[in-house]
C-alpha cells in the first residue's frame, strides 16, 4: 500500500536557501494539505552575501509567478549579461564570459569553428565580438530579449545582480502570504527519529518543540541538521579550489552602471565587483595558505573604485559538498549542502536545482531509498560539473608571478576536466555531457579567454573559401554592434523599468 502523503514540512534557516525553499513549496502545495514551518534566528543572521546570479534564476521566479519589475525594485536588482575576467590568463588579459551563444552555428557546425578559421586567416576580433550579450555589456546598454527567434535581439541572455538579503525578504513575504508559518528563535537542540537516521523535531531555546515529517537543513555553513546531528561528512575539494576566505564590502557607485560582474585576478585569489542599483558589492576571495588577512584587506581596498560604505566582513569557507545531500527525512539545501566559490555565481542555482529535484521526486511519507539515491546522484553530478568549470579558470592560467598561481597552474585536476581541456586543445571540440549547467559557449569563452588555443579547426570549415567565412562573420559582428547601439543605456532602462524603492 502507498504510504500517506507528507503533511508537515519544517525548514530550518531563513537565508536565501530557506526562503527559496519555502516560496517554491508554498507555491505548489495547498496549505490545507501540508503545513510548512520555517525557523530562523535574527540573532544568528544570514551569510549576507550573494549578489550575482545566472539566467536560470529567471525560471525560478517565473515558477513562483512573480513580476520581474516588482522583484527587481524590491531587491535593488540590476541586469547581468555575463562576467568580465581581468588578469586571469596573463596579467593584462580581459575577456567576457557572456550569457548565451556566440554568433550562429552554420551547417550544423559550431560557430567557434568559423571563428577559429578566421583567426587562422589573420582575423583579430575576440570571440566576444560575436556575442550580443558581451557586446551589449561592453557598451553598458540593455534591452529585454526579443521573443522572435529571427531577431538578432533574441540572442540576448541575462540574469541579475541583487541584494540577496532583500531577495530572502521578498520571498518571505511571498511564502507567508501562502501560509508558511515563521518561527523566530535559536534552535538549541535537534531530536533524531527513533531509528536515528532522521530528524523528529527541533527544539527552540525557548523550549518550544517543532515537529515535522520532512526537514530541510538550510542552516548555512553550520549544517546543524545534516552535519552536526546526522553526522554526514564533507567531500573536501580544497586541493582544487584552495581559496577559503572572503572579505566583502559594499561601496558607492562610480561611473556608468555596468550590466556585468567583474572578476579581477589577484595575487592569491580574485576580487569581485557587482553593481546593484544603490551600491557596488565588492569582495576579495583568497587562500589563507597563500595570503594573510591584513594583506588581503589592503588589496580589497586598492581594488574598490567608490567610497566604502561599510567595513570589510570576513567569511571563511571550504570548497566541497556534503557526502549525502538527502538522508532519512532531511535534505541539506544551500551552504549546508556545499559551497563552490562564487566565481561563476552558481550557489543560488544549486539551491534552485536542489529544490526542483526534490519537487520532481516529491515523496510520500515513507521516503523510499531509491528516491534518496536518485537525488544524491543528481546533486553530486551537479556539484562535480560546476566544480570542473570553476577549476578551469584556475588551472588554465599562464600566470606564474605568485606562489598561488604557480600552485594553480601545476595542480592535478579532475580527469573529467583534463579530458575537456585536451579535447579542445587538440581538436577545438567541446561537448556538453549529461545536461550539464555550463553549455558549449561558456566553455569556449573561458578556454579561449584563458589562452587554451586549439591546434586546428573543423576540417569542413577549413576547406571553405576564406572570403566566405570572413564575410559571414563580418556581417554577424556588425549586426551585433548595431543592435547594441540601438539599445538604451543600462541605467536608463532600469530607471524606466524598475527603479529601486527608496529607503
Ligand atoms: P545563510 O544565509 O547562512 O542562512 C542560514 C540561516 O540559518 C539563517 O537564517 C540563520 O539564522 C539560520 N540558522 C542557523 N543556525 C540556526 C539555529 N541554531 N537556530 C535557528 N536558525 C539558525 N551565491 C550566488 O548565487 N551568487 C553570489 O554572487 C554569491 N556570492 C557569495 C560570496 C561569498 C563570499 C559567499 C560565502 C557566498 C556567496 N554566495 C553567492 C552563496 C550565497 O550567499 C548562499 O548560497 C546563499 O545566500 C544561501 O545561504 P544559506 O541560506 O544556505 O545560508
Amino acid at each position: 500500500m502507498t504510504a500517506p502523503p507528507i503533511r508537515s514540512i519544517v525548514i530550518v534557516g531563513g537565508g536565501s536557501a530557506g526562503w527559496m525553499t519555502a516560496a517554491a513549496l508554498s507555491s505548489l502545495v495547498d496549505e490545507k494539505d501540508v503545513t510548512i514551518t520555517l525557523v530562523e534566528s535574527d540573532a544568528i543572521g544570514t551569510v549576507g552575501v550573494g549578489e550575482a546570479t545566472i539566467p536560470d534564476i529567471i525560471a525560478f521566479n517565473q515558477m513562483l509567478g512573480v513580476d520581474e519589475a516588482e522583484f527587481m525594485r524590491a531587491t535593488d536588482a540590476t541586469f547581468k549579461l555575463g562576467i568580465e575576467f581581468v588578469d586571469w590568463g596573463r596579467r593584462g588579459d580581459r575577456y567576457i564570459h557572456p550569457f548565451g551563444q556566440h554568433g550562429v552555428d552554420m551547417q550544423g557546425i559550431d560557430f567557434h569553428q568559423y571563428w577559429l578559421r578566421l583567426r587562422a586567416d589573420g582575423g583579430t576580433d575576440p570571440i566576444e565580438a560575436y556575442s550580443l550579450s558581451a557586446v551589449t555589456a561592453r557598451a553598458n546598454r540593455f534591452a529585454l530579449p526579443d521573443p522572435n527567434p529571427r531577431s538578432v535581439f533574441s540572442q540576448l541572455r541575462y540574469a541579475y545582480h541583487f541584494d540577496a538579503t532583500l531577495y530572502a525578504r521578498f520571498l518571505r513575504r511571498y511564502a507567508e502570504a501562502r501560509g508558511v508559518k515563521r518561527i523566530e528563535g535559536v534552535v538549541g537542540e535537534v531530536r533524531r527519529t527513533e531509528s536515528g537516521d532522521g530528524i523528529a523535531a527541533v527544539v527552540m531555546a525557548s523550549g518550544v518543540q517543532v515537529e515535522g515529517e520532512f526537514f530541510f537543513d538550510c542552516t548555512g555553513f553550520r549544517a546543524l541538521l545534516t552535519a552536526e546531528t546526522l553526522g554526514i561528512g564533507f567531500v573536501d575539494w580544497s586541493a582544487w579550489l584552495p581559496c577559503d576566505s572572503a572579505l566583502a564590502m559594499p561601496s558607492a557607485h562610480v561611473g556608468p552602471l555596468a550590466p556585468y560582474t567583474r572578476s579581477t585576478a589577484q595575487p592569491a585569489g580574485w576580487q569581485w565587483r557587482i553593481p546593484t542599483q544603490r551600491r557596488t558589492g565588492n569582495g576579495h576571495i583568497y587562500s589563507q595558505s597563500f595570503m594573510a588577512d591584513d594583506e588581503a584587506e589592503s588589496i580589497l581596498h586598492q581594488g574598490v573604485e567608490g567610497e566604502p560604505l561599510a567595513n570589510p566582513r570576513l567569511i571563511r569557507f571550504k570548497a566541497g559538498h556534503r557526502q549525502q545531500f538527502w538522508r532519512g527525512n532531511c535534505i541539506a539545501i544551500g551552504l549546508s549542502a556545499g559551497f563552490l566559490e562564487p566565481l561563476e555565481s552558481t550557489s543560488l542555482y544549486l539551491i534552485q536545482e536542489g529544490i526542483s529535484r526534490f519537487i520532481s521526486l516529491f515523496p510520500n511519507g515513507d521516503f523510499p531509498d531509491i528516491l534518496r539515491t536518485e537525488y544524491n546522484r543528481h546533486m553530486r553530478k551537479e556539484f562535480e560539473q560546476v566544480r570542473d568549470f570553476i577549476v578551469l579558470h584556475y588551472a588554465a592560467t599562464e600566470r606564474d608571478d605568485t606562489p598561488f598561481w604557480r600552485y594553480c597552474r601545476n595542480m592535478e585536476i579532475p580527469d573529467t576536466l583534463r579530458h575537456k581541456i585536451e579535447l579542445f586543445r587538440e581538436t577545438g571540440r567541446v561537448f556538453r555531457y549529461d545536461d550539464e549547467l555550463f553549455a558549449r559557449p561558456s566553455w569556449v569563452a573561458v578556454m579561449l579567454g584563458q589562452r587554451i588555443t586549439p591546434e586546428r579547426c573543423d576540417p569542413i570549415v577549413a576547406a571553405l573559401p576564406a572570403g566566405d567565412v570572413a564575410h559571414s562573420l563580418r556581417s554577424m559582428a556588425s549586426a551585433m554592434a548595431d543592435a547594441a547601439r540601438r539599445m538604451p543605456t543600462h541605467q536608463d532602462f532600469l530607471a524606466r523599468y524598475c527603479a529601486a524603492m527608496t529607503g
Side-chain angles (χ1 to χ4, degrees):
M1 209 176 70
T2 316
I6 298 175
R7 309 265 317 158
S8 60
I9 292 175
V10 177
I11 300 163
V12 185
S16 320
W19 285 113
M20 283 174 78
T21 307
L25 294 178
S26 69
S27 77
L28 289 173
V29 299
D30 193 317
E31 58 180 302
K32 291 197 289 300
D33 300 328
V34 187
T35 62
I36 304 174
T37 308
L38 185 144
V39 179
E40 67 175 318
S41 159
D42 292 341
I44 294 175
T46 66
V47 70
V49 275
E51 293 141 324
T53 60
I54 55 174
D56 303 70
I57 190 89
I58 297 172
F60 185 78
N61 285 345
Q62 281 171 351
M63 179 183 89
L64 301 183
V66 302
D67 176 74
E68 183 176 68
E70 184 191 336
F71 141 77
M72 292 187 73
R73 263 194 297 278
T75 60
D76 204 15
T78 60
F79 290 99
K80 172 183 172 189
L81 294 164
I83 305 175
E84 182 187 36
F85 289 92
V86 180
D87 292 343
W88 278 81
R90 287 185 196 164
R91 289 174 76 98
D93 283 359
R94 266 171 199 271
Y95 70 93
I96 287 192
H97 166 203
F99 297 135
Q101 64 197 80
H102 298 106
V104 178
D105 297 347
M106 292 178 281
Q107 271 98 35
I109 299 174
D110 300 342
F111 170 79
H112 73 271
Q113 298 292 349
Y114 295 87
W115 181 85
L116 289 171
R117 166 68 198 278
L118 186 67
R119 211 190 47 155
D121 293 343
T124 53
D125 276 348
I127 196 159
E128 68 178 54
Y130 303 89
S131 152
L132 184 60
S133 297
V135 172
T136 305
R138 289 264 183 239
N140 282 322
R141 291 177 182 270
F142 187 78
L144 290 169
D146 189 330
N148 174 6
R150 288 168 170 277
S151 158
V152 63
F153 289 93
S154 70
Q155 288 208 2
L156 208 72
R157 291 283 174 281
Y158 69 91
Y160 313 104
H161 303 122
F162 58 58
D163 180 330
T165 307
L166 295 179
Y167 188 49
R169 218 174 281 165
F170 177 78
L171 294 179
R172 174 181 160 188
R173 284 196 294 276
Y174 177 98
E176 286 186 318
R178 282 158 185 78
V180 172
K181 186 174 158 216
R182 172 178 180 267
I183 299 179
E184 204 285 316
V186 175
V187 171
E189 185 195 340
V190 182
R191 297 215 169 119
R192 291 175 177 228
T193 51
E194 265 174 34
S195 62
D197 65 352
I199 306 292
V202 294
V203 186
M204 311 298 294
S206 63
V208 170
Q209 175 159 306
V210 184
E211 292 174 357
E213 287 173 65
F214 202 90
F215 286 79
F216 285 91
D217 181 356
C218 299
T219 57
F221 287 126
R222 187 172 169 195
L224 179 61
L225 277 61
T226 42
E228 285 190 21
T229 307
L230 297 177
I232 305 176
F234 191 73
V235 176
D236 184 341
W237 285 337
S238 43
W240 290 316
L241 294 169
C243 290
D244 55 11
S245 304
L247 280 162
M249 183 178 77
S251 65
H253 281 307
V254 176
L257 203 54
Y260 58 91
T261 300
R262 178 177 293 156
S263 161
T264 305
Q266 296 290 9
W270 59 280
Q271 183 153 342
W272 79 74
R273 186 197 71 171
I274 301 178
T276 58
Q277 286 192 42
R278 285 179 292 195
R279 56 168 209 194
T280 300
N282 308 279
H284 182 191
I285 296 265
Y286 57 99
S287 165
Q288 281 181 92
S289 309
F290 294 91
M291 183 171 282
D293 294 336
D294 52 355
E295 191 184 353
E297 186 171 334
S298 111
I299 288 174
L300 170 72
H301 280 286
Q302 284 160 35
V304 168
E305 290 161 346
E307 182 69 24
L309 299 176
N311 289 326
R313 207 155 56 80
L314 178 64
I315 302 161
R316 303 274 192 221
F317 56 84
K318 194 190 280 180
H321 65 83
R322 293 254 84 73
Q323 267 159 1
Q324 284 174 304
F325 300 90
W326 180 352
R327 182 182 290 177
N329 62 345
C330 182
I331 286 186
I333 300 242
L335 297 172
S336 59
F339 183 57
L340 297 168
E341 57 176 87
L343 187 59
E344 284 285 352
S345 326
T346 43
S347 292
L348 294 184
Y349 164 79
L350 288 165
I351 292 172
Q352 187 183 333
E353 193 54 28
I355 297 167
S356 322
R357 190 50 53 147
F358 171 76
I359 289 169
S360 66
L361 295 170
F362 208 98
N364 280 329
D366 55 352
F367 323 124
D369 269 347
I370 189 111
L371 292 186
R372 278 190 288 261
T373 306
E374 176 54 27
Y375 184 90
N376 288 326
R377 185 199 66 79
H378 177 78
M379 292 309 294
R380 194 175 318 111
K381 178 206 75 145
E382 286 284 336
F383 268 82
E384 286 172 356
Q385 289 173 336
V386 171
R387 173 205 66 197
D388 279 6
F389 189 60
I390 296 178
V391 173
L392 168 70
H393 299 64
Y394 288 100
T397 185
E398 294 183 1
R399 287 186 63 157
D400 61 359
D401 53 314
T402 65
F404 174 83
W405 289 108
R406 283 195 288 280
Y407 173 84
C408 292
R409 64 181 285 177
N410 294 317
M411 70 185 167
E412 282 295 316
I413 57 175
D415 291 343
T416 37
L417 174 60
R418 183 176 318 103
H419 172 74
K420 265 204 154 115
I421 293 177
E422 283 172 7
L423 186 66
F424 188 68
R425 202 192 303 274
E426 286 176 34
T427 72
R429 272 26 188 256
V430 191
F431 296 100
R432 185 181 198 176
Y433 301 120
D434 206 5
D435 230 5
E436 67 186 299
L437 170 64
F438 289 103
R440 173 172 40 87
S442 293
W443 284 88
V444 167
V446 176
M447 289 201 274
L448 289 177
Q450 295 194 202
R451 297 172 177 270
I452 299 180
T453 310
E455 289 158 13
R456 63 186 88 159
C457 78
D458 182 282
I460 299 172
V461 177
L464 294 173
D468 292 1
V469 174
H471 176 75
S472 300
L473 267 65
R474 207 178 311 120
S475 50
M476 274 185 217
S478 67
M480 310 253 168
D482 183 50
R485 259 194 304 275
R486 286 191 276 143
M487 296 181 200
T489 66
H490 181 219
Q491 189 122 26
D492 285 349
F493 188 91
L494 286 170
R496 272 210 317 274
Y497 187 64
C498 58
M501 298 167 191
T502 48

